[in-house]
Amino acid sequence: VKKINILNDPVSGFIRISEKIYSDIIDHPYFQRLRRIKQLGLTDLVFPSANHTRFQHTLGAFMLMQEALEILRHKGVNISDEEMKAASLAIMLHDIGHGPFSHALENSIVANVDHEEISLSFMNFFNDFTNGNLDLCLKMFTNKYERPFFHDLISGQLDIDRLDYLRRDSFFSGVREGNVGSQRIVQIMNVVDEKLVFERKGIYSIENFLIARRIMYWQVYLHKTVLAAEQILIKIFKRAKELVKAGQKIKCNHNLDFFLNYDISLNDFNNPKVLNKFAALDDYDIIVAIKDWTKHRDKVLSDLCRRLIERDLFKVEISKKVFDKKRIGELSNKLSKEFGLSENEKSYFVFSDFVQNSLYDYKSSKINVLKSDGQIVDISDVSSGFNTSLISDPDQEFFLCYPKELRN
Amino acid sequence: VKKINILNDPVSGFIRISEKIYSDIIDHPYFQRLRRIKQLGLTDLVFPSANHTRFQHTLGAFMLMQEALEILRHKGVNISDEEMKAASLAIMLHDIGHGPFSHALENSIVANVDHEEISLSFMNFFNDFTNGNLDLCLKMFTNKYERPFFHDLISGQLDIDRLDYLRRDSFFSGVREGNVGSQRIVQIMNVVDEKLVFERKGIYSIENFLIARRIMYWQVYLHKTVLAAEQILIKIFKRAKELVKAGQKIKCNHNLDFFLNYDISLNDFNNPKVLNKFAALDDYDIIVAIKDWTKHRDKVLSDLCRRLIERDLFKVEISKKVFDKKRIGELSNKLSKEFGLSENEKSYFVFSDFVQNSLYDYKSSKINVLKSDGQIVDISDVSSGFNTSLISDPDQEFFLCYPKELRN
Amino acid sequence: VKKINILNDPVSGFIRISEKIYSDIIDHPYFQRLRRIKQLGLTDLVFPSANHTRFQHTLGAFMLMQEALEILRHKGVNISDEEMKAASLAIMLHDIGHGPFSHALENSIVANVDHEEISLSFMNFFNDFTNGNLDLCLKMFTNKYERPFFHDLISGQLDIDRLDYLRRDSFFSGVREGNVGSQRIVQIMNVVDEKLVFERKGIYSIENFLIARRIMYWQVYLHKTVLAAEQILIKIFKRAKELVKAGQKIKCNHNLDFFLNYDISLNDFNNPKVLNKFAALDDYDIIVAIKDWTKHRDKVLSDLCRRLIERDLFKVEISKKVFDKKRIGELSNKLSKEFGLSENEKSYFVFSDFVQNSLYDYKSSKINVLKSDGQIVDISDVSSGFNTSLISDPDQEFFLCYPKELRN
Amino acid sequence: VKKINILNDPVSGFIRISEKIYSDIIDHPYFQRLRRIKQLGLTDLVFPSANHTRFQHTLGAFMLMQEALEILRHKGVNISDEEMKAASLAIMLHDIGHGPFSHALENSIVANVDHEEISLSFMNFFNDFTNGNLDLCLKMFTNKYERPFFHDLISGQLDIDRLDYLRRDSFFSGVREGNVGSQRIVQIMNVVDEKLVFERKGIYSIENFLIARRIMYWQVYLHKTVLAAEQILIKIFKRAKELVKAGQKIKCNHNLDFFLNYDISLNDFNNPKVLNKFAALDDYDIIVAIKDWTKHRDKVLSDLCRRLIERDLFKVEISKKVFDKKRIGELSNKLSKEFGLSENEKSYFVFSDFVQNSLYDYKSSKINVLKSDGQIVDISDVSSGFNTSLISDPDQEFFLCYPKELRN
């Protein structure tokens, strides 16, 4: 009798780990580390229940992929056991390249390297580890497999990744409006000419998906207090690197130390030692370093760290228009007068930038809808009354941060 | 110690009946009858779990009204116990004028009388029954009370009625995309200048409400098979009345008999006997009459009845454009050839009409948003990227029905 | 491409109707009739949301059976497509013999015939209807198939039937304590020596199942107000039959008329006409008859009917001990004095009986637990601290009913 | 207009922070630290979603307390605003004395001091911080207030604390069988003679609560793999302290360093510096220390740490009886032969102990049930058929841990 490991998950129900290769990878320390990386970084400072990890999301997506493929099989799409395994592994590993506090620190710990490229390095490692058993998985992940619908499922406009993280982030944050009918959307998937399509009868579910995603962006992912916290985190690492370059000593765990002292590029990840050092980092190292740095003699660094740990965040103003430079200048000056900061130091406390919900990028991939007459069209062609500009135009917002103590 | 009656409700949680006047009305046979009228009429033919009743919805709205008013009190809005009672009773009775299979039969059983006008007749009855205790309730219901926010809560663009029925219809139909964050929306309600407003921070919940409503319309309320069933129900009563006028005998329960034989107008409802006869009717009388009529010798009547009972419904085609008259004519002719029907009889089996989601009527009432600077604007002014035409333009769809046996 | 019909269900998620034989049976009027029979009869008088039907339960059990069998296949149990179909059909049809208000009227409409025996008559009918395609299904249902675990799943101590109705009744009544982890329990099923067993690690889920069932019994199924309503329903039919036998005319729908006038035995169900008449009956006929009878000149009949329709039920007292005959006598006498009733008539208004939760019958079948060392034991042997007497001893309660108007 | 802060919570719905004193305490770093202490310690190694924090539980209990008191007010119990505030603060602070990985490390970081006593130290601190505003809160917490039902709600057999953590732990672990009808149980609370009682009609909810608690104990809190992980954590700190005492250097964060080097007793917590050092510790310090120690040259320490971080846990055997000493000896010997460990070192890898679910302690406090005749009895007197020995007898289990590599 085959031994099947079952995990409880309040979102997915039961997650079955049915193949040895699955458990071999899950049990590896490189994968176990995802237990210590939160899916939504600092978001729990606003939504206290959003403490779910990349480990949970990854396994949830893994499970949903298998459900989707089973449904496609039921509809007569021919999917071999090898393909099932490869696609399941690809989604299981698609996010493994994320570092701690991923989006916020993506360019702070390792500059100019996309987490998907690091995921690829890990997959290559695991391919060796499993004696070449990830060849097909790698092909699918890099979109070189002859049946592109697998890649559409792994990484597309409406893929398994998004279907899991949206429902999960909505569930744990408690923002129920962001809930997505993932179970329903996989039911309307089909394959035509080896491409992923969605059956016409389900377009309301797709519209709901798009709206829910927008809600999650503006209400959760880009919530202005979350933004304020992430900006402080980014500034902390900017300052720390600046101090290190200026020759100051920064106490921290030796894995983190490596990334503060060296500028790592994508190529370096081919070096197993670098990969290993990266794989040793998680949210815990970052938070403990920041806790230590609250005692650092550099005022800028210690004050920023204290703010994050005590949740004494910046005030954030939001605007559809770029903020007036004069106003920013006045705030900066007031700050330097009151706290005696230099020109460079001021930029850590008063600053403006913008965010945009660029995910609605309609150029790169489409949501194909299969009409009952067999024709395939884009969602924007059948979604009557649905504002396609809503879908494709990036929403943009400018923000301005400064200490609460500053009178405006 | 005050005795409080508590009802279990899977949507609302616990519904507390805390005042004697509430139980007096609920216990009256006129109110108990709502237990035998389904909220969504024939919708269970497509969504088998949608068997919830007007009784449930009415009590759920009653509970939600009290929650909303408690929240407003917490925010410093002055609401007396008398006002609390009046508003609770108004929402409890707002739908009591619905007859069986309300929307479908609204113009079949009693022509040209709106169910809200019948509700008013019932309220007047209950006002007498409770020795004039519904005076304030009636004022609120008819929008004659000096504090209009109560009427906004009872009947507005975003009122307690909709907040309850949308979440409830979504829950019981199983269409989770239509779920509405009613609990959240009542949290962002406030009152300015005696009008109902919604706090700016909650606009995503309102957008979600509008989208969810649209989903419920097209996916549930106007689902084409539901439509097909309702059309058959309407045709059955049209035929029955036609036969009665032609002097034929139609066997049915004597309450229903009354409405088949007489044309009742709004004024007649002032007559207690008419009100009483209307209050005796429920879904059960209709279904049993139809079951009996499956044996009627009139082929048109018996065939339509059989189709409804056995769920052997018409085929429905949907189109954004009006259907070609020629095509309808051809279908009719084929039908009369195959089944030997007269010109008049044919119209019961092949017909076209349209539906529109006219609820997004933006002219009559608005959703007022309270910005953090105290300004009040319409939702369409702050909902960036939100397609206001989506909200206000009525979506329209034409449909064409004919027997499945007819080759197209 | 195979056409798959999908139904929405708030409890089961999506129910897939994947085989033609499934839809052929579901579409038959004999099956469609289950839409008009509530799963819990009059329970909605206490739990207003408990309006779900036998149609919903039957399809939910059908879906859960397929999930269970898929899980067993994953565990290496060899199950052919034919067996899958047969077991799915057996559970789909296991309850089709229920008449309106089943448990309450089980001995009123047709005396001394078990609903399971009527189910068998229907299955035989459907076997002919599908040209003998139900042979294996019938074998499984009657426990004549050589692999008994199929019968255990259809009808055992812990079968698919109970796993669906408990979760469903809990969901719709709103009594969440009665919820059962059906998804989890099917995960721990296994087959040893062709018998159904439950893996040791899941015994807490089984304990929870037994407790939840007990809660549902005492809190919902045997709720004293539900009991009072059911007793009135039973008395109504007793009186109606009595009047018929005495030669009085009782107005009702002609299908119901048949069962009031004739005493039907099990053998009669072999007659297609009798089966057909039975299949024509549903809750609607009963309720409309009772509404009509509220106007009957027999005071006993009309008063009982009015009580049920207006929810003006009897007072019920509950006791662990049998009620004192003297007290019952006094109540009866007071009643006959005040209302002038004869000896026989009194028994319709003052009476005592008992209920027992006899389902915990441990003699007939067992819950087999598979320990990790391969040994199979009964649940009572491994459930440490669990009170086995709680499971096996029938709980018994006596009740006494009389009109509220009677002073005690 | 009063500003009310609202937090989203997937379990409690919305949590309103309506008083300034509430936010003052929540915003304090001593309270914010609870965001970094998981409610269930290492349990996420088995239930990957169980990452919720003490911060969440504390606020959930705070919210539930207010709901309970509002319900009691509705029932006519006189509760002043001051009492409402005091009870809310008491439950908000009842767990603040927990250190990182509380139960597991309760005797490792600070020996022989109960977390409730530390909570009291924190409350005294906050009493000063709020200028004596916690006097009544302290009275209630220490059961010196003249109305004992407040203490029953804060800390009793069936208190708000348990009502929140059970539903929350069930929700996040995904073990739905452990769900508790907390909303329902607060509905049946009442106060008689200033003591907390539960109305008779709700005893099934109470039985369900007791069973759910038992399920959570054996299925989650005392799950054998969780146990194995906690034992490793305890052994790690035992070894670390041993090494420190032997004069070895152990690298760690200076707050943790303090507790490794000094034996702290309850009295020391009166020293603000000690309290401050304790308040600086959280799960993050512990995990990062353990990650560092995986590189320590002491084989015992580094191996135990590696096991925890990589989730390469011990094998655990469970038994109702004490394990045979001889067998333990043999395992130890085999271990020392294969790995060359000393007598003392062996005890870190092969050991036996027992756990018991001692919470069912019936002697200290009771669950009072209010019968409809006004009498008050214990739950065990009315819960017919309910096994009172199940409730009161502590379940006990012995376990034996050893490395998986050891052949048994």
Side-chain angles (χ1 to χ4, degrees), chain A residues 289-398:
Chain A
I290 292 173
K291 286 178 72 179
D292 280 343
W293 298 343
T294 59
K295 306 247 161 67
H296 198 276
R297 66 186 172 187
D298 179 65
K299 287 270 170 65
V300 172
L301 183 63
S302 65
D303 185 66
L304 291 172
C305 288
R306 184 198 57 74
R307 284 176 184 277
L308 198 66
I309 294 302
E310 299 187 357
R311 203 188 173 280
D312 177 20
L313 306 174
F314 287 148
K315 190 163 167 45
V316 191
E317 290 181 20
I318 293 289
S319 168
K320 291 279 154 205
K321 281 178 278 178
V322 69
F323 281 91
D324 189 25
K325 287 211 170 156
K326 214 177 120 196
R327 173 132 182 273
I328 304 179
E330 285 167 4
L331 284 167
S332 287
N333 289 338
K334 212 189 285 183
L335 183 86
S336 63
K337 247 184 242 164
E338 291 185 28
F339 300 93
L341 298 178
S342 75
E343 202 59 36
N344 171 36
E345 289 167 350
K346 285 193 305 190
S347 70
Y348 285 97
F349 295 94
V350 176
F351 51 87
S352 178
D353 205 338
F354 71 96
V355 285
Q356 70 182 31
N357 178 354
S358 59
L359 280 212
Y360 298 130
D361 178 10
Y362 236 52
K363 283 95 208 174
S364 50
S365 81
K366 297 202 154 208
I367 296 178
N368 291 314
V369 173
L370 174 65
K371 290 171 67 177
S372 50
D373 60 4
Q375 218 190 326
I376 291 173
V377 296
D378 189 71
I379 176 78
S380 55
D381 296 328
V382 280
S383 179
S384 83
F386 199 82
N387 191 354
T388 55
S389 69
L390 161 65
I391 307 174
S392 48
D393 285 356
D395 266 332
Q396 206 179 38
E397 251 176 23
F398 294 86

Side-chain angles (χ1 to χ4, degrees), chain C residues 40-53:
Chain C
L40 293 185
L42 295 165
T43 307
D44 72 290
L45 291 175
V46 179
F47 299 92
S49 297
N51 290 309
H52 54 301
T53 65

Side-chain angles (χ1 to χ4, degrees), chain A residues 37 42 85 92 100 112 118 186 193 201 230 288 307 323 350 360-361 403:
Chain A
I37 297 186
L42 295 166
K85 247 188 254 183
M92 184 194 270
N112 303 318
I118 309 182
V186 299
D193 295 341
K201 66 180 174 195
E230 289 179 346
V288 168
R307 284 176 184 277
F323 281 91
V350 176
Y360 298 130
D361 178 10

Side-chain angles (χ1 to χ4, degrees), chain C residues 174-177 181 184 201 204-205 207-208 211 214-215 218-219 320 383-387 390 395 397, chain D residues 174-177 181 184 204-205 207-208 211 214-215 218-219 320 383-387 390 395 397:
Chain C
V175 177
R176 289 182 200 153
E177 288 89 341
R184 188 183 304 264
K201 66 179 174 195
Y204 300 112
S205 300
E207 291 185 6
N208 185 56
I211 293 295
R214 186 163 169 270
I215 287 175
W218 292 116
Q219 197 151 332
K320 292 278 154 207
S383 179
S384 80
F386 199 81
N387 191 353
L390 161 65
D395 266 332
E397 248 175 25
Chain D
V175 177
R176 288 182 202 154
E177 287 89 341
R184 188 184 303 264
Y204 299 112
S205 300
E207 290 184 7
N208 185 57
I211 293 294
R214 186 164 167 271
I215 287 175
W218 292 117
Q219 197 150 333
K320 293 278 155 207
S383 180
S384 81
F386 199 82
N387 191 356
L390 160 65
D395 266 332
E397 249 175 25

Side-chain angles (χ1 to χ4, degrees), chain D residues 198-322:
Chain D
F198 298 86
E199 292 159 7
R200 169 70 177 77
K201 66 179 174 195
I203 60 158
Y204 299 112
S205 300
I206 297 176
E207 290 184 7
N208 185 57
F209 165 86
L210 292 169
I211 293 294
R213 189 164 63 156
R214 186 164 167 271
I215 287 175
M216 287 305 287
Y217 264 82
W218 292 117
Q219 197 150 333
V220 179
Y221 306 149
L222 302 180
H223 186 286
K224 70 178 187 174
T225 311
V226 173
L227 215 65
E230 288 179 347
Q231 288 298 319
I232 290 181
L233 181 59
I234 290 167
K235 299 285 180 198
I236 285 172
F237 275 84
K238 197 180 158 212
R239 183 65 172 180
K241 286 199 162 185
E242 197 172 67
L243 293 175
V244 166
K245 286 214 168 106
Q248 289 211 34
K249 231 194 134 173
I250 300 280
K251 185 187 162 191
C252 70
N253 165 305
H254 70 279
N255 288 315
L256 183 53
D257 197 67
F258 176 81
F259 290 95
L260 284 183
N261 281 281
Y262 298 96
D263 288 334
I264 304 299
S265 73
L266 180 57
N267 273 341
D268 297 321
F269 280 92
N270 295 330
N271 179 344
K273 279 186 193 159
V274 171
L275 194 69
N276 204 40
K277 276 193 180 295
F278 184 79
L281 273 184
D282 57 41
D283 290 3
Y284 288 77
D285 302 295
I286 304 299
I287 291 296
V288 168
I290 293 174
K291 286 177 71 179
D292 280 344
W293 299 343
T294 58
K295 306 248 161 66
H296 198 278
R297 62 182 177 191
D298 178 67
K299 286 269 171 67
V300 172
L301 183 64
S302 63
D303 185 66
L304 290 172
C305 288
R306 184 197 58 74
R307 285 177 184 276
L308 198 66
I309 294 301
E310 300 188 355
R311 201 187 175 282
D312 176 19
L313 307 173
F314 287 149
K315 191 162 166 48
V316 192
E317 290 181 20
I318 293 289
S319 168
K320 293 278 155 207
K321 281 178 276 177
V322 69

Side-chain angles (χ1 to χ4, degrees), chain C residues 322-334:
Chain C
V322 69
F323 281 92
D324 188 25
K325 288 213 170 155
K326 212 177 122 200
R327 173 131 181 275
I328 304 178
E330 286 167 2
L331 283 167
S332 287
N333 289 338
K334 209 189 288 182

